[in-house]
């Protein structure tokens, strides 16, 4: 729309100036300067009409490559994890979101399987992304690409891409939404803070929040605020609501630290050489270089 | 030269496959094997690198072992390179063996003939 408007303006300007001006090099220079001014004006007008609330030079510097700041092996809510140094997926390690009774029972049953190392992590099969909000708690590195109309959060691990529209548009109507791994995110810039809401996430059907097996339903919504702290960390404050899984809003805070300049992200092709397939019972197997299973015990049965 | 040593205490706190794309429960973190090994192949691949090595068994036979490391991206950022392990090279290697006795383990660290080390080597 913007380019068509600019083209129309250029055409009208040349028509008004007439062909004689085209033969005048200084006239062309004047036209160029006028066009630059007009294009800027047109862009600003289009931006204000489209709902974009910020200019590119007003955006914060989130450039570079980042890494999750919190440890605990990717536990999603480090503030409630017990024991405090517990790692996601280790027996006896859990967190305490305000779960409903039904979801607490579900989590407790899952933790029993975790103790037996029988909780298959969806991302271990190298087939599907981690989804939102788990993608804020992944290993490897992150990139945050900010533009006035959209922000992209890219995780090397997976990879995952979260697209956050800040162009003033609203979430699509229900008939145009279906559950996806990252859902649908709409937001805005408030000063140097990115605020967005995410809906229509696929939930427990194909995602977990971490290797402790915690899940949300596909009715969850996440309100996220992201901003740079005085210490230079990128802070993400989440308020998660879920009429099925949560008895009250769940507040989770995570941080990212910027890695030294020159650090790069690379391809993560999980299926390239995945020598750890998962059995139907959740056991992680090991393959040799020819693709043969070399485990000596599979699902409790000793392999001769 | 291929004498097997099993550490019991000092190395237990070392992180092993800390950011694996799968569970690391199959590795016995209470056992650390320290071996002189011959590199057969180094697979610099996602989601994990693999160091194929030949070890001498207790019975004196040559056995191939699969030693699993982290992903190449994070390893590269920590100084590893696609040719960090060269076929035919003899290295001292430490790993957590699998619980079920399979000839595989989770990489902890390695020391090369020139004294350089990779991973956790204390």
């Amino acid at each position: 729309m913007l380019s068509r408007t600019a083209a129309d303006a250029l055409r009208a300007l040349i028509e008004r100036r007439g062909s004689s001006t085209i033969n005048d090099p200084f006239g062309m220079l004047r036209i160029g300067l006028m066009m630059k001014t007009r294009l800027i004006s047109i862009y600003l007008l289009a931006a204000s009409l489209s709902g974009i609330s910020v200019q590119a030079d007003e955006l914060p510097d989130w450039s570079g490559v980042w890494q999750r700041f919190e440890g605990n092996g990717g536990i999603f809510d480090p503030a409630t994890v017990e024991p405090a140094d517990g790692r996601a997926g280790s027996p006896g390690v859990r967190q305490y979101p305000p779960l409903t009774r039904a979801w607490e029972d579900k989590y407790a049953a899952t933790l029993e399987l975790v103790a037996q190392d029988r909780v298959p992590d969806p991302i271990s099969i190298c087939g599907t992304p981690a989804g939102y909000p788990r993608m804020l708690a992944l290993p490897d590195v992150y990139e945050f690409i900010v533009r006035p109309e959209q922000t992209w959060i890219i995780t090397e691990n997976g990879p995952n891409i979260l697209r956050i529209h800040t162009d003033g548009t609203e979430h699509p109507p229900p008939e145009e939404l279906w559950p996806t791994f990252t859902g649908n995110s709409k937001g805005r810039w408030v000063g140097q803070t990115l605020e967005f809401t995410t809906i229509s996430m696929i939930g427990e059907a194909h995602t977990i929040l971490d290797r402790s097996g915690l899940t949300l339903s596909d009715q969850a919504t996440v309100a996220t605020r992201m901003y740079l702290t005085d210490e230079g960390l990128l802070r993400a404050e989440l308020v998660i609501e879920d009429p099925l899984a949560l008895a009250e809003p769940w507040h989770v805070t995570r941080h990212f630290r910027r890695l030294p300049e020159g650090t790069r992200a690379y391809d993560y092709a999980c299926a390239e050489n995945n020598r750890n397939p998962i059995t139907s019972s959740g056991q992680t197997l090991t393959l040799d270089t020819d693709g043969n299973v070399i485990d000596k015990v599979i699902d409790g049965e000793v392999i001769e | 030269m291929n004498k097997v040593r099993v550490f019991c205490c000092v190395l237990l706190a070392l992180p092993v496959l800390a950011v694996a794309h799968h569970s690391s429960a199959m590795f016995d973190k209470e056992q650390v094997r320290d071996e002189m090994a011959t590199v057969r192949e180094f697979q610099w691949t996602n989601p994990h690198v693999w160091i194929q090595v030949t070890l001498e068994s207790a019975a004196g036979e040559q056995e191939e072992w699969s030693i699993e490391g982290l992903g190449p991206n994070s390893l590269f950022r920590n100084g590893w390179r696609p040719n960090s392990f060269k076929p035919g090279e003899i290295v001292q290697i430490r790993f957590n063996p699998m619980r079920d006795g399979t000839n595989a383990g989770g990489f902890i660290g390695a020391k090369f003939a020139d004294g350089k080390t990779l991973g956790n080597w204390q």
Side-chain angles (χ1 to χ4, degrees), chain A residues 127-149:
Chain A
T128 53
Y132 197 73
R134 183 187 184 185
M135 61 180 284
L136 297 183
L138 293 177
D140 300 319
V141 297
Y142 289 76
E143 293 168 292
F144 302 92
I145 318 298
V146 293
R147 290 279 307 153
E149 73 280 10

Side-chain angles (χ1 to χ4, degrees), chain A residues 117 124 156 267 272 275-276, chain B residues 21 23 52 68 73 77:
Chain A
D117 191 31
S124 295
E156 181 185 60
D267 275 357
E272 178 186 12
R275 290 174 56 182
N276 296 108
Chain B
H21 96 288
S23 165
Q52 299 299 129
E68 185 171 17
N73 300 352
R77 287 188 286 267

Side-chain angles (χ1 to χ4, degrees), chain A residues 14 26 50 100 105-106 108 111-112 134 164 227 241 269 271:
Chain A
I14 290 177
F26 293 103
S50 69
T100 59
D105 291 346
K106 189 179 295 192
L111 289 168
E112 290 292 323
R134 183 187 184 185
I164 305 157
Y227 59 92
E241 298 186 68

Side-chain angles (χ1 to χ4, degrees), chain A residues 279 283 285-286 292-304, chain B residues 98 100-103:
Chain A
T279 69
Q283 180 182 346
L285 300 176
T286 300
N292 303 307
V293 176
I294 59 175
D295 294 77
K296 292 186 176 177
V297 179
I298 300 177
D299 291 341
E301 182 180 345
V302 178
I303 308 300
E304 297 299 332
Chain B
M98 283 184 62
D100 70 356
T102 300
N103 287 0

Side-chain angles (χ1 to χ4, degrees), chain A residues 68 87 117 123-124 126 139-141 156 211 263-270 272-276 284 286 289 294-297, chain B residues 18-23 25-26 40-41 43-48 50 52 64 66 68 73-74 76-77 98 100-104:
Chain A
R68 70 181 181 199
R87 299 178 62 80
D117 191 31
I123 67 173
S124 295
C126 298
D140 300 319
V141 297
E156 181 185 60
R211 211 163 273 160
T263 303
R264 297 283 183 262
Y266 301 96
D267 275 357
Y268 181 88
C270 186
E272 178 186 12
N273 184 30
N274 179 20
R275 290 174 56 182
N276 296 108
T284 302
T286 300
T289 54
I294 59 175
D295 294 77
K296 292 186 176 177
V297 179
Chain B
V19 289
H21 96 288
H22 61 80
S23 165
M26 72 263 256
R40 187 181 75 76
E41 181 183 0
Q43 294 187 334
W44 180 258
T45 54
N46 278 298
H48 295 275
W50 290 84
Q52 299 299 129
E64 180 164 345
S66 300
E68 185 171 17
N73 300 352
S74 59
F76 185 87
R77 287 188 286 267
M98 283 184 62
D100 70 356
T102 300
N103 287 0

